[in-house]
Amino acid sequence: MKCFYHPDQAYHAPPTFLLRGQPAPSPEGPVRAELLTQGLASAGLTLGEPLTADSPTLRKRLEQIHTPRYLHFLDTIYARWQELPNAAEFVAPNVHPCGGGHHYPRHPLGQAGWHLHDMACPIGATSFRGALASAATAEAAAEAVLNGSPNAYALCRPPGHHAGPERAGGFCLLNNAGLAATVLRERYAKVAIIDVDLHHGNGTQDIFYARSDVWTGSLHADPSDFYPFFWGGADEEGESGGLDANVNLPLPVGSDGEVYLDALAVLIDHLQRYAPEAVVVALGLDAHKDDPLAGLSVKTEAFIDVGKHLAALALPTVIIQEGGYPTEHLSANLAAFMQGFAP
């Protein structure tokens, strides 16, 4: 399996985020890449590097899943933020358009509140550079599949599945899985994104909710009790042309590996009925019982079966790293998945 990572991802490394009203050390930092790289090595896999982190092709593809004003915001907000009196080092808004805003503001503070829907995405001086490198990594893996590789893995951080058309959240700035699907759509008429992360991929859902050419499916901790709270219910099935092309399987918080794997089998059944020509796996490893964001109780061994089930689809597949945060088990969790997917 070809595996990709761009080292410029390290340029996004906010030290803290706001958790239950308190500043807390951010679990989404460069150490994640180090641990995941160790997991790949344990599975006998090595990383390649994308050629560039900011090509015109990448920008054009990102414009298919994100709005121009959102991309402009990410590109310019830090400099404009620093011009504000008494501004903090990282962009972090104190106002949000809860209930839906009707007016797009010109002021940097208002734009930050519009585009950053929670307090887990502080933006520093080089954050956009890191996010672009993460997206370029996803792009490179998808292009490898377009060029004939049966599958490819992208070690992406920051992750992406909470990033919608014009908002960031949950550590995510650009939607890497959505980008990979966009690249695959250049050849394949029907693409599926299957998200096995602990959290619902609300940004991915929002991007494709009214489209039938990209099916989205997610299993995750029940948003009635868990982040992202406002999206991910079983009744969210798509709209307009995308009706029935979105499937959510919320699981009770604390569910174990047996429940998780049973839900995966159901989700795969839905996916196969859609009959895609290629697949993007949004691979979260944070369903593990000891993950610092733990909401499920999956053990390392279960990720072997996750890999086996997804490999059995026997379709061109791009694997995009989503969640999975630093613990002594993170490397082993990725190695287990790879053992199952590519034994």
Side-chain angles (χ1 to χ4, degrees):
M1 179 187 295
K2 291 186 176 182
C3 301
F4 296 89
Y5 173 74
H6 199 297
D8 281 4
Q9 294 181 53
Y11 279 97
H12 177 66
T16 62
F17 75 119
L18 202 63
L19 179 65
R20 301 184 186 97
Q22 299 282 355
S26 177
E28 206 302 290
V31 68
R32 290 186 66 223
E34 297 172 13
L35 294 171
L36 293 166
T37 299
Q38 293 170 19
L40 291 175
S42 296
L45 299 169
T46 57
L47 289 167
E49 181 181 327
L51 294 177
T52 178
D54 192 12
S55 69
T57 301
L58 176 60
R59 291 287 183 130
K60 289 178 181 178
R61 286 165 166 164
L62 286 171
E63 288 171 358
Q64 295 182 54
I65 58 173
H66 295 295
T67 65
R69 70 182 181 187
Y70 177 59
L71 296 173
H72 178 75
F73 164 82
L74 291 176
D75 198 11
T76 65
I77 186 56
Y78 183 81
R80 294 185 292 129
W81 183 265
Q82 292 305 309
E83 294 175 356
L84 299 176
N86 302 314
E89 173 61 22
F90 286 85
V91 178
N94 56 270
V95 60
H96 297 273
C98 296
H102 298 284
H103 175 75
Y104 185 72
R106 181 168 49 242
H107 194 281
L109 180 60
Q111 289 184 4
W114 184 282
H115 292 297
L116 306 179
H117 84 247
D118 61 28
M119 302 301 289
C121 292
I123 294 176
T126 57
S127 287
F128 191 44
R129 179 175 176 179
L132 283 173
S134 184
T137 301
E139 180 185 46
E143 287 182 339
V145 170
L146 282 189
N147 291 329
S149 294
N151 45 63
Y153 167 78
L155 199 172
C156 295
R157 66 141 306 269
H161 71 155
H162 296 306
E166 63 170 18
R167 69 162 181 261
F171 307 131
C172 303
L173 299 176
L174 296 171
N175 197 297
N176 301 313
L179 174 64
T182 298
V183 175
L184 292 177
R185 275 287 292 111
E186 293 171 10
R187 172 170 301 172
Y188 301 106
K190 296 173 68 177
V191 174
I193 302 175
I194 183 167
D195 192 326
V196 298
D197 191 275
L198 164 66
H199 306 91
H200 177 248
N202 56 300
T204 308
Q205 174 176 291
D206 284 355
I207 289 169
F208 299 107
Y209 203 60
R211 290 174 53 173
S212 61
D213 59 325
V214 178
W215 177 94
T216 50
S218 176
L219 62 87
H220 47 269
D222 192 334
S224 294
D225 303 301
F226 208 74
Y227 186 90
F229 295 112
F230 313 113
W231 307 270
D235 59 338
E236 297 163 25
E237 299 176 340
E239 65 183 10
S240 186
L243 186 62
D244 297 326
N246 188 83
V247 177
N248 290 323
L249 298 179
L251 308 178
V253 171
S255 294
D256 62 14
E258 182 178 359
V259 173
Y260 179 85
L261 289 171
D262 285 347
L264 177 61
V266 173
L267 194 60
I268 287 174
D269 182 62
H270 282 282
L271 181 154
Q272 289 176 317
R273 278 183 265 162
Y274 176 75
E277 299 172 10
V279 174
V280 176
V281 176
L283 177 62
L285 301 168
D286 44 1
H288 189 267
K289 63 184 182 64
D290 293 329
D291 191 272
L293 302 180
L296 298 176
S297 301
V298 176
K299 295 180 180 179
T300 296
E301 294 75 19
F303 291 113
I304 298 174
D305 292 322
V306 174
K308 288 180 178 177
H309 287 312
L310 294 170
L313 292 170
L315 291 167
T317 301
V318 181
I319 302 164
I320 302 294
Q321 188 64 54
E322 296 288 356
Y325 299 95
T327 70
E328 60 180 320
H329 304 286
L330 180 56
S331 300
N333 292 341
L334 180 56
F337 173 85
M338 289 302 182
Q339 177 186 336
F341 191 90

